[in-house]
Amino acid sequence: MNTSQSGEPGSLSTASGPARLLGDKVYEDLMQLLGTPGFEPRARLPGETALSQRLGVSRPVLRQALARLRDEGRVYVRKGSGTFVTDALPQAKPISLSTLENIADIRAFLEFRCFMEGEAAARAALARTTDQMHHVRLCRERFEQALAVGSDAVEEDIAFHDAVAQACGNRFFGMTMNALAPQTRFSIGLSRSLAGRPQGERRAGVCQEHMAVELAIERQDAAAARQAMEAHLRGGISRLFGQ
């Protein structure tokens, strides 16, 4: 039986694992901020307390992410003054993914999500931490709350799937989810606009599918988590293509 120092059976995390994974997430959040207002080249970063509160993490976790940025030459420390963004940020080519151009593209994209997110859910069931499980649950609840007030809840839907990917212990799943966000928004919107079932019935079905994914991850049942996620996404294919 798998055990961890956190006391959760079946977890693959170590004492330093959750902090390391959270540090990766904070690093990615900071990368998104660099170049935006207040984080331009030569700008002084907010103090550790303010920045850690903004990102919702502890100062030690923030320092871990900042150290990585310093190692990459993206920020530097000026003694007695604070941390500053470098004059010329290292340029990285963004991931470029083509748009969905036809029905065949859309179906192929949804099939790809079945394989990728099914594996992410299975891994999340084994590797998730207590905090990550809480975040998955929170995103699922926010999705349901958004539907209840009449929102299309597309962003909340994406956030739930991203939370599962972030909990799987491999940051490249989360990075891939972020890169696929435009295609995901388009496919969700199209599925909802063309769905044959009444809106209330369809939304209730999606909520039940999300819940099944969450419960399987909470039970740390990898097989059930994979099956629940694949069933959810194949349900989207069925709702869109009527099969």
Side-chain angles (χ1 to χ4, degrees):
M1 178 178 68
N2 291 328
T3 59
S4 71
Q5 295 184 28
S6 66
E8 293 184 8
S11 173
L12 299 183
S13 62
T14 64
S16 62
R20 181 183 61 78
L21 293 174
L22 186 54
D24 289 341
K25 176 64 165 58
V26 176
Y27 165 82
E28 291 163 11
D29 290 343
L30 288 170
M31 284 288 291
Q32 293 295 320
L33 287 173
L34 294 183
T36 65
F39 294 83
E40 306 95 336
R42 289 187 275 184
R44 181 181 181 276
L45 296 184
E48 283 189 357
T49 299
L51 196 52
S52 62
Q53 290 176 348
R54 174 170 178 168
L55 298 175
V57 297
S58 66
R59 290 172 69 181
V61 172
L62 173 66
R63 290 181 190 132
Q64 179 184 11
L66 288 173
R68 185 171 168 186
L69 292 176
R70 287 197 302 272
D71 291 342
E72 295 175 352
R74 300 180 187 277
V75 301
Y76 66 96
V77 175
R78 185 182 299 166
K79 190 173 181 179
S81 298
T83 301
F84 292 79
V85 183
T86 53
D87 288 346
L89 294 176
Q91 296 298 311
K93 292 183 179 180
I95 297 174
S96 177
L97 297 172
S98 62
T99 57
L100 303 177
E101 298 179 349
N102 51 51
I103 295 298
D105 273 357
I106 295 168
R107 181 162 198 142
F109 174 67
L110 292 173
E111 291 282 357
F112 171 75
R113 286 187 63 196
C114 286
F115 293 118
M116 185 189 76
E117 295 192 51
E119 181 63 23
R123 288 172 177 262
L126 298 176
R128 58 86 175 166
T129 65
T130 300
D131 287 344
Q132 288 168 336
M133 187 69 247
H134 174 74
H135 186 55
V136 170
R137 183 178 302 110
L138 182 63
C139 288
R140 191 263 305 162
E141 291 172 348
R142 286 175 175 169
F143 172 74
E144 294 181 358
Q145 291 164 3
L147 290 181
V149 298
S151 167
D152 61 14
V154 171
E155 296 305 318
E156 290 81 3
D157 197 351
I158 291 174
F160 173 78
H161 287 264
D162 180 66
V164 173
Q166 295 292 346
C168 78
N170 184 326
R171 67 189 179 94
F172 290 98
F173 278 92
M175 291 168 64
T176 302
M177 288 295 297
N178 288 334
L180 293 174
Q183 291 85 350
T184 301
R185 289 187 183 93
F186 178 79
S187 64
I188 291 174
L190 184 63
S191 177
R192 293 180 181 180
S193 66
L194 299 180
R197 289 192 297 169
Q199 188 177 72
E201 180 184 344
R202 177 183 55 77
R203 290 186 170 188
V206 172
C207 289
Q208 291 171 1
E209 291 163 8
H210 279 189
M211 177 66 80
V213 172
E214 177 193 317
L215 292 178
I217 293 174
E218 186 172 30
R219 295 195 310 269
Q220 298 185 301
D221 187 335
R226 178 185 285 107
Q227 182 179 20
M229 182 61 83
E230 289 182 354
H232 169 51
L233 293 170
R234 293 197 181 280
I237 295 174
S238 177
R239 285 186 283 271
L240 182 56
F241 294 99
Q243 299 176 6

